[in-house]
Amino acid sequence: MAGTLFVMYAALSLRLHHRMITSSYDLGIFEQVVRSYAEGHLPVSEVKGPGFPALGDHFSPVLALVAPFYWVWQGAETLLVVQAALIAVSVIPLALWARRALGVQAAAVIGACYGLSWGVAGAVGYDFHEVAFAAPLLTLSLTALGNDRLVAAACWALPLLLVKEDLGFTFLAIGLVIARRGNRRLGLFAAAVGLAGAALALFVILPVFSPSGSFAYWSLMQDSPGAPGTAGSGAGGGLLDLLRRGTIGLVTPQTKVTTLLLVLAPTLFLALRSPLLWVAVPTLVWRFASNNGLHWGTGNHYSLVLMPVVFAAFVDALVRRGTSGPSLRRYLAGSAAITLAVLPAFPLFQLFRPDTWRTDPRVAVARRLMDSIPDGATVQASDHLVPQLTNRTSVSIYGAEGNRPNPQWIMVDTWAPDGSRGWLGAPLSAEAERQRLTADRQRGYDLMALQDGFALLHYRD
């Protein structure tokens, strides 16, 4: 099952990248980070800014583990294959637990429902993210926790501190569940380590590396009326805003309730009967308290870390109830039905669509023009072209504020419509882009090629 899922995940991710549907945010950024580690220095991301220290953006030193694979194949494909492997492997502990406790049929259904779940599908279909490392760590930790192997549960959860700064709070929650399971000393110690790890990352490490001197994403917890995709109420901020976010703001607008229902639906809400579900609370709280509307919904990679938790809670609840026979089969059938019903709405279903396997002729044109750019050059490019160049150039997003000035090369897809220019990666509208290209030609850039909407410019030495 893990092998089959790996092939599916890798096929989708690689196909999207080959069709140039991947983006600078986030595949381009993460490849620049991994490339930095592979070259033997601390990670920087030119997409974020000239020489931007990536450890000042998110605390994810675990990405250094990808560097040896990047030595073998220097390209974004390496990151996508590693992500596919990490998520596919995470099904194994969960399915083995289900097989031991509930039988082979339950293992097959629960493993498949987890592997095809919408949260996993969303992550696989949207570039690469460091939280892929959390998936196997969580299934290993929660499987151990569900079987009262409490020391093993804490040990498997400890590396979460190196995956991303917010996962220290997830480790804290695991520690509290360990304490509830009977090992109070170990559980409270683990909770304290999780809290200390998160605090160290947020208040010490990230500010030290950040050009701004503080964690860049505190703004997500502040009221920001008028910002795209935000919930800004115009109430100002401070204590009143914090109170609103921690109460009614966690369930409004309705998108948040819909996401929560979809998280629990594949388990027929039986996961609510397991204390393991508490491990999902930190992720849900920071997402629903955020002023970025993208964090509230079911898109992108944000629900990946919830899937191991909710399915581990599902297994734990079935075991606790002593479910067997017809009752177990009903739960399994219901879980499978819901998983399959929502699957077409998420990226994994693209594997079964003919359009996925057709390549736009413009892709070949773009690759030929990009081959004209020499290795090591400084480049600015359109959002979806950036991850095609991160393996061999110093590339950033065309038109972004704070870019390194006067790149040697510029490559722009002038036919990309405004709506497909990336939610973070493309700062210019089509009209603004045309005006900027005209200005660039006037200040010393030669038009080397213009074909099928792709413009390639070189700075006149």
Side-chain angles (χ1 to χ4, degrees):
M1 180 179 292
T4 300
L5 290 170
F6 167 73
V7 171
M8 293 175 66
Y9 300 158
L12 176 62
S13 296
L14 294 173
R15 185 61 187 153
L16 292 176
H17 183 62
H18 184 264
R19 293 173 62 203
M20 296 187 179
I21 297 177
T22 50
S23 60
S24 56
Y25 282 76
D26 290 315
L27 184 58
I29 291 174
F30 281 116
E31 185 180 359
Q32 289 176 335
V33 169
V34 171
R35 181 180 171 186
S36 298
Y37 281 124
E39 292 174 351
H41 58 82
L42 290 177
V44 295
S45 173
E46 193 77 4
V47 170
K48 297 287 292 186
F52 186 92
L55 288 175
D57 187 45
H58 288 297
F59 183 66
S60 304
V62 71
L63 291 172
L65 296 178
V66 185
F69 301 99
Y70 199 77
W71 296 335
V72 177
W73 182 270
Q74 187 171 322
E77 296 87 352
T78 296
L79 280 69
L80 298 174
V81 171
V82 167
Q83 175 173 260
L86 288 167
I87 300 176
V89 163
S90 69
V91 76
I92 296 175
L94 194 65
L96 290 177
W97 178 22
R99 187 176 70 176
R100 287 193 304 269
L102 301 168
V104 174
Q105 184 184 54
V109 173
I110 292 172
C113 288
Y114 165 72
L116 299 175
S117 61
W118 61 266
V120 168
V124 170
Y126 176 44
D127 291 3
F128 169 92
H129 296 88
E130 73 285 87
V131 290
F133 282 92
L137 291 172
L138 283 169
T139 56
L140 286 163
S141 177
L142 296 175
T143 296
L145 190 51
N147 287 276
D148 290 322
R149 295 185 289 113
L150 305 183
V151 174
C155 290
W156 282 119
L158 182 60
L160 291 172
L161 297 175
L162 304 178
V163 176
K164 198 176 179 184
E165 60 277 356
D166 66 284
L167 291 175
F169 298 110
T170 300
F171 186 33
L172 183 153
I174 290 173
L176 294 178
V177 177
I178 290 174
R180 187 180 184 277
R181 284 272 183 167
N183 195 331
R184 185 178 179 84
R185 178 178 296 181
L186 173 64
L188 293 179
F189 178 74
V193 170
L195 181 60
L200 182 65
L202 291 170
F203 296 105
V204 179
I205 299 174
L206 287 165
V208 164
F209 285 97
S210 174
S212 68
S214 65
F215 180 47
Y217 298 99
W218 287 130
S219 59
L220 293 175
M221 299 298 128
Q222 300 170 0
D223 217 22
S224 53
T230 69
S233 65
L239 185 59
L240 185 61
D241 177 57
L242 184 62
L243 180 62
R244 178 183 63 81
R245 289 182 183 280
T247 53
I248 191 67
L250 293 177
V251 292
T252 57
Q254 186 179 344
T255 304
K256 299 175 184 179
V257 177
T258 301
T259 297
L260 185 58
L261 291 176
L262 275 174
V263 166
L264 297 170
T267 73
L268 282 70
F269 298 90
L270 195 63
L272 289 167
R273 299 190 180 187
S274 169
L276 298 186
L277 193 62
W278 285 102
V279 178
V281 170
T283 298
L284 290 170
V285 168
W286 80 252
R287 284 180 56 187
F288 291 169
S290 168
N291 62 32
N292 187 336
L294 292 171
H295 293 156
W296 310 335
T298 57
N300 303 331
H301 61 290
Y302 298 115
S303 295
L304 176 60
V305 298
L306 298 177
M307 296 298 104
V309 179
V310 75
F311 277 93
F314 186 34
V315 175
D316 186 53
L318 289 171
V319 172
R320 284 168 168 268
R321 295 178 76 250
T323 311
S324 61
S327 178
L328 176 60
R329 287 193 289 274
R330 283 195 297 270
Y331 277 115
L332 296 177
S335 179
I338 292 172
T339 299
L340 294 176
V342 301
L343 185 61
F346 292 90
L348 204 56
F349 196 74
Q350 293 181 42
L351 287 171
F352 308 103
R353 292 176 176 158
D355 287 349
T356 302
W357 306 104
R358 300 191 188 106
T359 302
D360 189 332
R362 297 182 71 234
V363 170
V365 173
R367 294 194 185 282
R368 181 174 57 80
L369 295 181
M370 284 188 287
D371 287 342
S372 303
I373 301 174
D375 294 353
T378 56
V379 185
Q380 288 183 19
S382 295
D383 177 52
H384 61 286
L385 300 179
V386 167
Q388 309 294 328
L389 292 163
T390 43
N391 65 325
R392 61 183 188 86
T393 68
S394 179
V395 60
S396 56
I397 308 165
Y398 183 68
E401 292 185 8
N403 272 344
R404 192 179 300 279
N406 301 323
Q408 296 168 307
W409 294 83
I410 293 173
M411 184 164 173
V412 176
D413 181 1
T414 64
W415 287 1
D418 285 350
S420 67
R421 289 170 175 260
W423 64 276
L424 276 176
L428 300 178
S429 66
E431 179 59 31
E433 186 177 83
R434 283 192 290 271
Q435 294 175 3
R436 189 181 183 96
L437 285 171
T438 300
D440 285 335
R441 293 187 64 183
Q442 293 173 348
R443 67 185 186 90
Y445 281 89
D446 293 324
L447 182 64
M448 308 300 291
L450 179 61
Q451 184 176 354
D452 286 354
F454 293 105
L456 179 66
L457 286 75
H458 181 238
Y459 191 69
R460 190 183 311 123
D461 295 329

